[in-house]
């Protein structure tokens, strides 16, 4: 059932990692000889072509509070997470509830490449070449029962392996949720890799959600449980501060977060003096997903 969505970001936008690393070496030499103006020019050009961020940026600038609240904490601390064996409990309103081994899931899915914009509510962004499969296919495998309206997700909670959960930053375990129609939308994937490599622990190994038209915190990492339900499930940031974090959390440049304007974004890797770029409605996926919210007041349903 995969490959139902046609990626509008073309294949030539994806830079092979080997080519990218070689380019970095060339740029490094050029920067030393040509000065700051050349560096800025290259950064602006990269933004215009939506070039994916380098592997280093994607894997070393993260929010994953179970391993610390600093952006570099996850990359430093997440090596303690054991990802083999791994299983996902799928329960609630499904025909075939149970604990699904990660290997069995992967054997049944078709892995594909997806180049998606990624937008954090903190007003920074990246472009990430994910590998993964459509969540709809996993839900089909479990058999969604009629009457189910929402999908709830839960992250692993392992205090011995996750030093960040010693601190009550959030009500652990991290939980998230989607409406069923959002969950089965062809854009919604379960990511298992980046740049063709297994997804690193700090990015949510071995299995994470990616919903590209929503703020990044909706894309829950290291999933251990998926529950189909007829009631809107609780979500971690909404429980922590409902005024600042709604259930939907769609990228919306017209509705500011109390602490961050959402009108524009800082592109990670754009350079120290690069300009912020305007944020797009639904993170640029308006044509694909706007109809999911027909009739809803998007200033109210944040």
């Amino acid at each position: 059932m995969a490959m139902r969505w046609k990626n509008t970001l073309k294949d030539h936008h994806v830079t092979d990692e080997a080519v990218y690393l070689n380019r970095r070496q060339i740029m490094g030499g050029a920067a030393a000889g040509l000065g700051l103006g050349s560096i800025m020019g290259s950064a602006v050009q990269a933004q215009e072509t939506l070039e994916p961020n380098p592997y280093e940026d994607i894997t070393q600038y993260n929010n994953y509070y179970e391993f610390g609240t600093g952006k570099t904490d996850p990359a430093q601390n997440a090596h303690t997470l054991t990802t083999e064996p791994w299983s996902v409990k799928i329960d609630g309103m499904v025909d075939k509830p149970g604990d699904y081994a990660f290997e069995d899931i992967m054997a049944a899915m078709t892995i594909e490449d997806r180049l998606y914009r990624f937008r954090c509510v903190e007003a920074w962004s990246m472009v990430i070449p994910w590998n993964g499969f459509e969540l709809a296919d996993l839900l089909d495998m479990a058999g969604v029962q009629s009457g189910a309206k929402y999908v709830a997700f839960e992250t692993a909670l392992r205090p011995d392996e996750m030093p960040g959960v010693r601190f009550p930053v959030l009500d652990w375990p991290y939980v998230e949720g989607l409406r069923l129609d959002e969950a089965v939308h062809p854009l919604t994937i379960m990511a298992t890799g980046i740049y063709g490599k297994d997804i690193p622990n700090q990015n949510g190994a071995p299995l994470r959600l990616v919903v590209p038209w929503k703020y990044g915190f909706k894309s829950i990492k290291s999933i251990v449980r998926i529950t189909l339900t007829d009631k809107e499930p609780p979500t971690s940031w909404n429980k922590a501060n409902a005024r600042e974090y709604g259930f939907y959390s769609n990228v919306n440049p017209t509705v500011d977060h109390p602490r961050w304007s959402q009108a524009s974004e800082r592109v990670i890797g754009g350079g120290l003096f690069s300009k912020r770029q305007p944020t797009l409605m639904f993170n640029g996926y308006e044509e694909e997903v706007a109809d999911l919210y027909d009739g809803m007041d998007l200033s109210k349903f944040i």
Side-chain angles (χ1 to χ4, degrees):
M1 295 182 64
M3 301 300 290
R4 291 175 301 229
W5 176 72
K6 184 175 176 58
N7 197 338
T8 57
L9 299 180
K10 305 301 184 184
D11 289 346
H12 70 268
H13 289 138
V14 179
T15 304
D16 181 81
E17 185 185 13
V19 174
Y20 177 80
L21 292 174
N22 185 51
R23 185 184 304 170
R24 276 176 65 92
Q25 293 171 349
I26 295 172
M27 290 178 64
L34 299 178
L36 187 59
S38 296
I39 298 173
M40 293 177 65
S42 298
V44 171
Q45 186 177 20
Q47 292 177 33
E48 291 175 348
T49 57
L50 282 175
E51 182 173 312
N53 282 80
Y55 188 78
E56 291 86 347
D57 285 349
I58 297 168
T59 58
Q60 297 183 25
Y61 192 90
N62 301 106
N63 285 327
Y64 196 163
Y65 282 7
E66 285 86 339
F67 296 101
T69 55
K71 291 291 185 291
T72 59
D73 288 347
Q76 294 175 359
N77 300 328
H79 65 279
T80 56
L81 180 65
T82 303
T83 59
E84 293 182 8
W86 193 273
S87 64
V88 180
K89 178 183 290 296
I90 304 179
D91 61 3
M93 301 176 72
V94 293
D95 296 331
K96 292 175 280 187
D99 294 313
Y100 289 77
F102 178 70
E103 294 78 8
D104 294 339
I105 293 173
M106 293 295 283
M109 299 293 127
T110 300
I111 303 299
E112 57 181 298
D113 301 329
R114 294 289 179 94
L115 181 61
Y116 282 164
R117 300 176 184 88
F118 182 90
R119 175 61 156 81
C120 179
V121 72
E122 297 168 351
W124 54 265
S125 67
M126 295 184 184
V127 175
I128 302 178
W130 300 105
N131 314 112
F133 57 87
E134 292 188 11
L135 173 58
D137 291 342
L138 181 59
L139 298 180
D140 278 350
M141 189 167 76
V144 178
Q145 296 178 351
S146 63
K149 298 178 180 177
Y150 296 91
V151 186
F153 304 88
E154 185 175 311
T155 295
L157 176 58
R158 299 178 184 173
D160 292 340
E161 300 180 3
M162 296 175 152
V165 302
R166 300 170 189 161
F167 307 97
V169 180
L170 290 170
D171 182 17
W172 312 113
Y174 194 97
V175 292
E176 257 303 337
L178 295 173
R179 266 187 355 210
L180 183 58
D181 58 349
E182 297 175 320
V184 300
H185 191 281
L187 283 175
T188 304
I189 64 169
M190 299 292 276
T192 58
I194 296 171
Y195 269 115
K197 300 179 180 180
D198 289 345
I199 192 168
N201 288 2
Q202 59 266 33
N203 292 88
L207 191 67
R208 66 168 291 171
L209 181 71
V210 176
V211 193
W213 70 92
K214 294 179 178 289
Y215 293 117
F217 64 86
K218 292 290 289 185
S219 293
I220 184 171
K221 303 177 179 73
S222 304
I223 293 170
V224 294
R225 186 174 184 179
I226 299 173
T227 303
L228 277 292
T229 175
D230 59 356
K231 298 180 176 58
E232 183 178 292
T235 62
S236 284
W237 281 105
N238 183 252
K239 288 194 298 181
N241 190 336
R243 188 177 71 89
E244 295 189 4
Y245 302 97
F247 174 80
Y248 287 93
S249 296
N250 294 317
V251 175
N252 187 342
T254 69
V255 178
D256 286 337
H257 184 280
R259 284 175 283 153
W260 302 288
S261 168
Q262 300 301 334
S264 63
E265 60 203 50
R266 175 174 61 91
V267 179
I268 300 301
L272 183 62
F273 301 105
S274 64
K275 293 182 179 179
R276 296 171 69 89
Q277 70 179 28
T279 288
L280 302 173
M281 188 66 192
F282 293 112
N283 202 26
Y285 301 98
E286 183 173 10
E287 182 177 347
E288 290 91 345
V289 303
D291 63 333
L292 294 176
Y293 310 102
D294 281 348
M296 293 178 62
D297 182 350
L298 297 180
S299 66
K300 177 181 178 182
F301 291 95
I302 61 172

